[in-house]
Amino acid sequence: MTDLAAPTALDHFLARARTRLRPAPPGPEDSTANPRGDHDLEPDVLEAALARPPRLAAVLVPVVPRDDGVSVLFTLRASHLRDHSGQIAFPGGKIDPADPSPLAAALREAQEEVGLNPAAVTPLGYLDPYLSGTGFLVTPVVGLVAPDARLTLNPHEVAEAFEVPLAFLMDVANHALHSREWRGRQRRYYAIPFGERYIWGVTAGIVRNLYDRLRDGNE
């Protein structure tokens, strides 16, 4: 998708997003037996992940138009957090009972984590639900963020926020398969190194799903 680096990068992205993203999130009655997830690479993970009812979560995939193209906003989780400390993530978290929808949960979490005003986000659609090996069923919401939106990071949750060019993320040559030991065996996962940044695991899997959704058939 090298055309995303062209001056009309935003137009290209929006045209594809309109036709290729899911217009609505999965409903409560939808099957979770075959979502995207860690089991794409390690099929035996699925049985363990579905051994109990999945814990519902939502993340915002924030796409930001810039003068030199389009970028995606990521966060670096605070080092003192109990879960996934120091890892790169999208703003998001568990869907609370008071959240009326995955979109509402993603926007709430983004406001809590990085101070992103929900009014600065235009929802564009949804990626496929992502089931993690730890049993979280994550609904990714793709949203267009106003380029002048101001961020105020919550230091209790986020150490840093940064952007990566969408063209870089949509170049499959930058998608690597890495492995590490997890629960007594080697597990494969997607990784997208970007300079000193190391995007991997669920976050890289969601980026991969974004690539699969937006790419042309001959890419």
Side-chain angles (χ1 to χ4, degrees), residues 59-60 102-112 116-119 121 123 141:
V59 299
L60 179 67
L103 171 62
L107 293 177
R108 173 183 57 76
E109 287 282 350
Q111 187 169 33
E112 292 175 0
L116 180 60
N117 188 335
V121 182
V141 184

Side-chain angles (χ1 to χ4, degrees), residues 21-42:
L21 296 179
R22 296 170 61 121
E29 302 304 321
D30 288 7
S31 172
T32 61
N34 192 30
R36 298 296 299 266
D38 293 351
H39 58 278
D40 286 353
L41 298 175
E42 299 289 348

Side-chain angles (χ1 to χ4, degrees), residues 25-172:
E29 302 304 321
D30 288 7
S31 172
T32 61
N34 192 30
R36 298 296 299 266
D38 293 351
H39 58 278
D40 286 353
L41 298 175
E42 299 289 348
D44 65 305
V45 171
L46 183 61
E47 183 178 353
L50 292 176
R52 64 180 70 178
R55 293 170 287 177
L56 302 182
V59 299
L60 179 67
V61 181
V63 178
V64 189
R66 297 297 184 194
D67 292 340
D68 57 352
V70 181
S71 65
V72 178
L73 177 71
F74 294 87
T75 66
L76 180 66
R77 291 174 58 83
S79 59
H80 61 263
L81 292 174
R82 183 181 64 180
D83 297 323
H84 309 295
S85 61
Q87 292 185 15
I88 291 173
F90 289 118
K94 296 177 183 178
I95 298 178
D96 290 342
D99 291 321
S101 66
L103 171 62
L107 293 177
R108 173 183 57 76
E109 287 282 350
Q111 187 169 33
E112 292 175 0
E113 292 181 8
V114 298
L116 180 60
N117 188 335
V121 182
T122 301
L124 298 176
Y126 300 83
L127 297 174
D128 300 314
Y130 191 100
L131 183 64
S132 74
T134 54
F136 279 98
L137 186 64
V138 183
T139 299
V141 184
V142 181
L144 187 68
V145 177
D148 59 351
R150 301 188 62 171
L151 303 182
T152 303
L153 305 189
N154 179 350
H156 298 292
E157 298 191 48
V158 174
E160 190 178 350
F162 64 95
E163 296 179 18
V164 177
L166 179 63
F168 180 89
L169 297 171
M170 296 297 100
D171 186 346
V172 73

